[in-house]
PDB file of all heavy atoms in Angstrom:
ATOM      1  N   GLU A 144      -4.473  -2.838 -26.203  1.00 95.00           N
ATOM      2  CA  GLU A 144      -3.598  -2.145 -27.177  1.00 95.00           C
ATOM      3  C   GLU A 144      -2.342  -1.542 -26.600  1.00 95.00           C
ATOM      4  O   GLU A 144      -1.445  -1.168 -27.356  1.00 95.00           O
ATOM      5  CB  GLU A 144      -4.422  -1.035 -27.850  1.00 95.00           C
ATOM      6  CG  GLU A 144      -5.020   0.028 -26.937  1.00 95.00           C
ATOM      7  CD  GLU A 144      -4.041   1.158 -26.592  1.00 95.00           C
ATOM      8  OE1 GLU A 144      -3.074   1.331 -27.363  1.00 95.00           O
ATOM      9  OE2 GLU A 144      -4.184   1.776 -25.525  1.00 95.00           O
ATOM     10  N   ARG A 145      -2.206  -1.501 -25.293  1.00 95.00           N
ATOM     11  CA  ARG A 145      -0.986  -0.920 -24.677  1.00 95.00           C
ATOM     12  C   ARG A 145       0.220  -1.773 -24.959  1.00 95.00           C
ATOM     13  O   ARG A 145       1.371  -1.264 -24.963  1.00 95.00           O
ATOM     14  CB  ARG A 145      -1.197  -0.719 -23.196  1.00 95.00           C
ATOM     15  CG  ARG A 145      -2.142   0.445 -22.864  1.00 95.00           C
ATOM     16  CD  ARG A 145      -2.536   0.500 -21.400  1.00 95.00           C
ATOM     17  NE  ARG A 145      -3.465  -0.552 -21.027  1.00 95.00           N
ATOM     18  CZ  ARG A 145      -4.144  -0.587 -19.881  1.00 95.00           C
ATOM     19  NH1 ARG A 145      -3.974   0.371 -18.972  1.00 95.00           N
ATOM     20  NH2 ARG A 145      -4.987  -1.594 -19.635  1.00 95.00           N
ATOM     21  N   PHE A 146       0.014  -3.063 -25.154  1.00 96.00           N
ATOM     22  CA  PHE A 146       1.193  -3.880 -25.543  1.00 96.00           C
ATOM     23  C   PHE A 146       1.748  -3.415 -26.892  1.00 96.00           C
ATOM     24  O   PHE A 146       2.973  -3.253 -27.031  1.00 96.00           O
ATOM     25  CB  PHE A 146       0.770  -5.346 -25.592  1.00 96.00           C
ATOM     26  CG  PHE A 146       0.629  -5.999 -24.233  1.00 96.00           C
ATOM     27  CD1 PHE A 146      -0.620  -6.023 -23.595  1.00 96.00           C
ATOM     28  CD2 PHE A 146       1.704  -6.522 -23.577  1.00 96.00           C
ATOM     29  CE1 PHE A 146      -0.764  -6.570 -22.386  1.00 96.00           C
ATOM     30  CE2 PHE A 146       1.594  -7.099 -22.336  1.00 96.00           C
ATOM     31  CZ  PHE A 146       0.360  -7.151 -21.714  1.00 96.00           C
ATOM     32  N   ALA A 147       0.885  -3.215 -27.878  1.00 95.00           N
ATOM     33  CA  ALA A 147       1.382  -2.781 -29.185  1.00 95.00           C
ATOM     34  C   ALA A 147       1.891  -1.381 -29.091  1.00 95.00           C
ATOM     35  O   ALA A 147       2.919  -1.063 -29.742  1.00 95.00           O
ATOM     36  CB  ALA A 147       0.196  -2.856 -30.186  1.00 95.00           C
ATOM     37  N   ARG A 148       1.273  -0.515 -28.313  1.00 94.00           N
ATOM     38  CA  ARG A 148       1.713   0.882 -28.227  1.00 94.00           C
ATOM     39  C   ARG A 148       3.111   0.984 -27.646  1.00 94.00           C
ATOM     40  O   ARG A 148       3.906   1.855 -28.049  1.00 94.00           O
ATOM     41  CB  ARG A 148       0.709   1.636 -27.352  1.00 94.00           C
ATOM     42  CG  ARG A 148       0.918   3.156 -27.528  1.00 94.00           C
ATOM     43  CD  ARG A 148      -0.016   4.059 -26.766  1.00 94.00           C
ATOM     44  NE  ARG A 148      -1.114   3.560 -26.051  1.00 94.00           N
ATOM     45  CZ  ARG A 148      -1.655   4.183 -24.960  1.00 94.00           C
ATOM     46  NH1 ARG A 148      -1.112   5.290 -24.539  1.00 94.00           N
ATOM     47  NH2 ARG A 148      -2.725   3.681 -24.393  1.00 94.00           N
ATOM     48  N   THR A 149       3.454   0.135 -26.726  1.00 95.00           N
ATOM     49  CA  THR A 149       4.771   0.186 -26.093  1.00 95.00           C
ATOM     50  C   THR A 149       5.772  -0.813 -26.701  1.00 95.00           C
ATOM     51  O   THR A 149       6.960  -0.831 -26.328  1.00 95.00           O
ATOM     52  CB  THR A 149       4.661  -0.088 -24.581  1.00 95.00           C
ATOM     53  OG1 THR A 149       4.099  -1.395 -24.383  1.00 95.00           O
ATOM     54  CG2 THR A 149       3.789   0.940 -23.906  1.00 95.00           C
ATOM     55  N   GLY A 150       5.295  -1.639 -27.598  1.00 94.00           N
ATOM     56  CA  GLY A 150       6.163  -2.671 -28.184  1.00 94.00           C
ATOM     57  C   GLY A 150       6.492  -3.800 -27.232  1.00 94.00           C
ATOM     58  O   GLY A 150       7.463  -4.556 -27.468  1.00 94.00           O
ATOM     59  N   LEU A 151       5.695  -4.012 -26.218  1.00 96.00           N
ATOM     60  CA  LEU A 151       5.970  -5.048 -25.213  1.00 96.00           C
ATOM     61  C   LEU A 151       5.289  -6.344 -25.622  1.00 96.00           C
ATOM     62  O   LEU A 151       4.120  -6.388 -25.941  1.00 96.00           O
ATOM     63  CB  LEU A 151       5.447  -4.591 -23.852  1.00 96.00           C
ATOM     64  CG  LEU A 151       5.601  -5.614 -22.716  1.00 96.00           C
ATOM     65  CD1 LEU A 151       7.066  -5.887 -22.434  1.00 96.00           C
ATOM     66  CD2 LEU A 151       4.861  -5.141 -21.460  1.00 96.00           C
ATOM     67  N   THR A 152       6.068  -7.404 -25.585  1.00 94.00           N
ATOM     68  CA  THR A 152       5.538  -8.763 -25.736  1.00 94.00           C
ATOM     69  C   THR A 152       5.594  -9.429 -24.394  1.00 94.00           C
ATOM     70  O   THR A 152       6.675  -9.475 -23.770  1.00 94.00           O
ATOM     71  CB  THR A 152       6.383  -9.573 -26.770  1.00 94.00           C
ATOM     72  OG1 THR A 152       6.319  -8.912 -28.030  1.00 94.00           O
ATOM     73  CG2 THR A 152       5.834 -11.005 -26.903  1.00 94.00           C
ATOM     74  N   PRO A 153       4.454  -9.939 -23.874  1.00 93.00           N
ATOM     75  CA  PRO A 153       4.499 -10.524 -22.554  1.00 93.00           C
ATOM     76  C   PRO A 153       5.399 -11.804 -22.543  1.00 93.00           C
ATOM     77  O   PRO A 153       5.305 -12.643 -23.437  1.00 93.00           O
ATOM     78  CB  PRO A 153       3.024 -10.920 -22.285  1.00 93.00           C
ATOM     79  CG  PRO A 153       2.402 -10.991 -23.612  1.00 93.00           C
ATOM     80  CD  PRO A 153       3.102  -9.987 -24.476  1.00 93.00           C
ATOM     81  N   SER A 154       6.228 -11.865 -21.561  1.00 93.00           N
ATOM     82  CA  SER A 154       7.171 -13.006 -21.408  1.00 93.00           C
ATOM     83  C   SER A 154       6.670 -13.947 -20.355  1.00 93.00           C
ATOM     84  O   SER A 154       5.986 -13.522 -19.389  1.00 93.00           O
ATOM     85  CB  SER A 154       8.572 -12.541 -21.115  1.00 93.00           C
ATOM     86  OG  SER A 154       8.563 -11.679 -19.975  1.00 93.00           O
ATOM     87  N   PRO A 155       6.951 -15.249 -20.517  1.00 96.00           N
ATOM     88  CA  PRO A 155       6.458 -16.245 -19.512  1.00 96.00           C
ATOM     89  C   PRO A 155       6.983 -15.984 -18.142  1.00 96.00           C
ATOM     90  O   PRO A 155       8.113 -15.485 -17.939  1.00 96.00           O
ATOM     91  CB  PRO A 155       6.973 -17.565 -20.075  1.00 96.00           C
ATOM     92  CG  PRO A 155       7.284 -17.292 -21.530  1.00 96.00           C
ATOM     93  CD  PRO A 155       7.691 -15.860 -21.589  1.00 96.00           C
ATOM     94  N   TRP A 156       6.199 -16.295 -17.175  1.00 97.00           N
ATOM     95  CA  TRP A 156       6.576 -16.149 -15.752  1.00 97.00           C
ATOM     96  C   TRP A 156       7.326 -17.356 -15.251  1.00 97.00           C
ATOM     97  O   TRP A 156       7.018 -18.518 -15.670  1.00 97.00           O
ATOM     98  CB  TRP A 156       5.303 -15.972 -14.922  1.00 97.00           C
ATOM     99  CG  TRP A 156       4.700 -14.630 -14.992  1.00 97.00           C
ATOM    100  CD1 TRP A 156       4.794 -13.716 -16.012  1.00 97.00           C
ATOM    101  CD2 TRP A 156       3.866 -14.034 -14.007  1.00 97.00           C
ATOM    102  NE1 TRP A 156       4.058 -12.561 -15.718  1.00 97.00           N
ATOM    103  CE2 TRP A 156       3.485 -12.737 -14.499  1.00 97.00           C
ATOM    104  CE3 TRP A 156       3.356 -14.423 -12.780  1.00 97.00           C
ATOM    105  CZ2 TRP A 156       2.649 -11.885 -13.790  1.00 97.00           C
ATOM    106  CZ3 TRP A 156       2.536 -13.551 -12.052  1.00 97.00           C
ATOM    107  CH2 TRP A 156       2.189 -12.296 -12.534  1.00 97.00           C
ATOM    108  N   GLU A 157       8.222 -17.115 -14.334  1.00 97.00           N
ATOM    109  CA  GLU A 157       8.825 -18.216 -13.542  1.00 97.00           C
ATOM    110  C   GLU A 157       7.998 -18.329 -12.237  1.00 97.00           C
ATOM    111  O   GLU A 157       7.285 -17.422 -11.869  1.00 97.00           O
ATOM    112  CB  GLU A 157      10.254 -17.857 -13.213  1.00 97.00           C
ATOM    113  CG  GLU A 157      11.204 -17.766 -14.439  1.00 97.00           C
ATOM    114  CD  GLU A 157      11.423 -19.099 -15.073  1.00 97.00           C
ATOM    115  OE1 GLU A 157      11.140 -20.146 -14.437  1.00 97.00           O
ATOM    116  OE2 GLU A 157      11.841 -19.148 -16.244  1.00 97.00           O
ATOM    117  N   PRO A 158       8.060 -19.451 -11.561  1.00 98.00           N
ATOM    118  CA  PRO A 158       7.254 -19.673 -10.360  1.00 98.00           C
ATOM    119  C   PRO A 158       7.419 -18.693  -9.253  1.00 98.00           C
ATOM    120  O   PRO A 158       6.519 -18.483  -8.450  1.00 98.00           O
ATOM    121  CB  PRO A 158       7.632 -21.108  -9.910  1.00 98.00           C
ATOM    122  CG  PRO A 158       8.176 -21.777 -11.136  1.00 98.00           C
ATOM    123  CD  PRO A 158       8.844 -20.669 -11.946  1.00 98.00           C
ATOM    124  N   TRP A 159       8.601 -18.001  -9.217  1.00 98.00           N
ATOM    125  CA  TRP A 159       8.827 -17.069  -8.123  1.00 98.00           C
ATOM    126  C   TRP A 159       8.228 -15.684  -8.341  1.00 98.00           C
ATOM    127  O   TRP A 159       8.243 -14.854  -7.457  1.00 98.00           O
ATOM    128  CB  TRP A 159      10.331 -16.898  -7.879  1.00 98.00           C
ATOM    129  CG  TRP A 159      11.142 -16.646  -9.129  1.00 98.00           C
ATOM    130  CD1 TRP A 159      11.809 -17.538  -9.889  1.00 98.00           C
ATOM    131  CD2 TRP A 159      11.323 -15.370  -9.748  1.00 98.00           C
ATOM    132  NE1 TRP A 159      12.393 -16.932 -10.974  1.00 98.00           N
ATOM    133  CE2 TRP A 159      12.149 -15.572 -10.903  1.00 98.00           C
ATOM    134  CE3 TRP A 159      10.898 -14.074  -9.497  1.00 98.00           C
ATOM    135  CZ2 TRP A 159      12.490 -14.563 -11.763  1.00 98.00           C
ATOM    136  CZ3 TRP A 159      11.330 -13.045 -10.323  1.00 98.00           C
ATOM    137  CH2 TRP A 159      12.090 -13.296 -11.478  1.00 98.00           C
ATOM    138  N   VAL A 160       7.692 -15.437  -9.539  1.00 98.00           N
ATOM    139  CA  VAL A 160       7.209 -14.087  -9.894  1.00 98.00           C
ATOM    140  C   VAL A 160       6.123 -13.579  -8.966  1.00 98.00           C
ATOM    141  O   VAL A 160       6.155 -12.408  -8.551  1.00 98.00           O
ATOM    142  CB  VAL A 160       6.820 -13.995 -11.370  1.00 98.00           C
ATOM    143  CG1 VAL A 160       6.114 -12.663 -11.666  1.00 98.00           C
ATOM    144  CG2 VAL A 160       8.021 -14.166 -12.244  1.00 98.00           C
ATOM    145  N   PRO A 161       5.124 -14.383  -8.563  1.00 98.00           N
ATOM    146  CA  PRO A 161       4.116 -13.870  -7.610  1.00 98.00           C
ATOM    147  C   PRO A 161       4.758 -13.387  -6.299  1.00 98.00           C
ATOM    148  O   PRO A 161       4.306 -12.385  -5.717  1.00 98.00           O
ATOM    149  CB  PRO A 161       3.178 -15.066  -7.340  1.00 98.00           C
ATOM    150  CG  PRO A 161       3.291 -15.862  -8.602  1.00 98.00           C
ATOM    151  CD  PRO A 161       4.708 -15.746  -9.047  1.00 98.00           C
ATOM    152  N   LEU A 162       5.792 -14.042  -5.853  1.00 98.00           N
ATOM    153  CA  LEU A 162       6.490 -13.619  -4.627  1.00 98.00           C
ATOM    154  C   LEU A 162       7.199 -12.271  -4.877  1.00 98.00           C
ATOM    155  O   LEU A 162       7.225 -11.397  -3.958  1.00 98.00           O
ATOM    156  CB  LEU A 162       7.500 -14.641  -4.170  1.00 98.00           C
ATOM    157  CG  LEU A 162       6.920 -15.876  -3.480  1.00 98.00           C
ATOM    158  CD1 LEU A 162       6.193 -16.804  -4.447  1.00 98.00           C
ATOM    159  CD2 LEU A 162       8.000 -16.648  -2.755  1.00 98.00           C
TER     160      LEU A 162
END
Side-chain angles (χ1 to χ4, degrees):
E144 59 83 24
R145 286 170 288 192
F146 284 93
R148 194 178 353 154
T149 60
L151 176 65
T152 299
S154 53
W156 284 24
E157 296 291 343
W159 50 264
V160 171
L162 284 72

